[in-house]
Amino acid sequence: MNSEIIAVGSELLLGQIANTNGQFLSQQLAPLGINVYYHTVVGDNKLRLQEAIKQAKKRANLIIITGGLGPTKDDLTKETVAELLNCSLVYHEPSMEQIESFFKNSKRPMTENNKKQALVINTATVLNNDNGMAPGMAIYHEGVHYMLLPGPPKELKPMFINYGQAYLIANLHEQAVIHSRVLRFFGIGEAKLEEVLIDLIEFQSNPTIAPLAGDGEVMLRLTAKHNDKAKALLLLDELEAKIQTRVGKFLYGYDDTSLMKELVNRLLAKKLTIASAESLTGGMFSQELTDFSGVSEVFSSGVVSYSNEMKEKILSVSKNTLAEYGAVSSECAIEMAQGVKKLCETDIGISFTGVAGPNQHEGKNVGTIYIGVALPNGESKSFSLNLSGTRWQIRERTVKFGCYYLLKEL
């Protein structure tokens, strides 16, 4: 089954809201073995919606349309679909009773146009709306399944999960389902990763490999299609094992995790406490760390020591170190990490110093970075980087590298 998702709403085209429904539906359809080949967004215009549906019919046997089921004049989805399919609209009495009950219980007058929400296509399987008024519907016509869902995500998501999925499963022409696994890598570029795995990528069939890149990381989405989940997972395991032998040292996690999340989990598992000393990152490490619940068990404190004076006064960085090597140096990074570890009485200290730009500092080029770590065993290390990008990108990537290096050390 090949599908197309059509989102209806001029507010989507104007950028007033994001099309999160399309993302959600794609995520839900993949495990059912339904291919999503196109996402279309069209405004509240009957002629353009008709054209979008006609185009979708040429390339999909499942068309899911979201939005346009409400009570106003610009809500025209079901009217347009009914006309294209040469069907009529009829009142769905249970939905009408639900709408009337809502207004009665809320002690608000029910306007005439609200009755419109209870209209459904006469040949449709009705999908109940347990969180709103307008029901959804599913129609099979001339080899194509149509599914109409409300626009508000709080209505669409439970409707699809509770009723839409069951309809699709009952009408699937094949029972094979899709199983995916995302491998997350750091410390290797997208081009290099692809070069190392090029033979696996070029000769893929089942499972498939899709390289993805974003936010300084690289991901591989492995996808297997099989009607037996255990066999599908075995296919994924076998492919991952081949990948691991080549680039396993850069793999840090799976699916929706992140470097910071993995670091928090590692610290919690080992019951290790940490404190941070930040110069160029200005508290970004501490901010991202404290986004996770339960982090208070491991995170003690963060010090933003931007000036050399504060590096000396708060973190006990030696005046001689600053004079001889400068604040942007391996030596300073190590003393910052040691200083914050001692100050906060933690197991680990981590520090960030460098040049985020836009100009040189201490004769060091933009992107010159030093990360220091003071470890539980008393050992201290520094890591140097030469990063490129905007000021924000350099700072963001510096935090990621700090997480990555510390994960490796732990």
Side-chain angles (χ1 to χ4, degrees), residues 122 165 168 357:
N122 65 317
Q165 279 185 341
L168 293 176

Short mmCIF file of all heavy atoms in Angstrom, two decimals, residues 122 165 168 357:
data_model
loop_
_atom_site.label_atom_id
_atom_site.label_comp_id
_atom_site.label_asym_id
_atom_site.label_seq_id
_atom_site.Cartn_x
_atom_site.Cartn_y
_atom_site.Cartn_z
N ASN A 122 -21.74 9.25 2.59
CA ASN A 122 -22.73 8.18 2.81
C ASN A 122 -22.14 6.77 2.74
O ASN A 122 -22.67 5.84 3.34
CB ASN A 122 -23.90 8.31 1.81
CG ASN A 122 -23.46 8.11 0.37
OD1 ASN A 122 -22.43 8.61 -0.04
ND2 ASN A 122 -24.25 7.39 -0.40
N GLN A 165 -5.99 3.07 12.53
CA GLN A 165 -5.08 1.94 12.37
C GLN A 165 -5.84 0.64 12.13
O GLN A 165 -5.44 -0.16 11.28
CB GLN A 165 -4.20 1.80 13.62
CG GLN A 165 -3.02 2.75 13.66
CD GLN A 165 -2.12 2.47 14.85
OE1 GLN A 165 -2.54 1.84 15.82
NE2 GLN A 165 -0.90 2.94 14.80
N LEU A 168 -7.00 0.37 8.58
CA LEU A 168 -5.93 0.09 7.62
C LEU A 168 -5.44 -1.34 7.72
O LEU A 168 -5.21 -2.00 6.71
CB LEU A 168 -4.77 1.07 7.85
CG LEU A 168 -5.07 2.53 7.52
CD1 LEU A 168 -3.89 3.41 7.89
CD2 LEU A 168 -5.43 2.70 6.05
N GLY A 357 34.42 33.31 18.07
CA GLY A 357 34.36 34.29 17.00
C GLY A 357 33.49 35.48 17.37
O GLY A 357 32.96 35.55 18.48
#
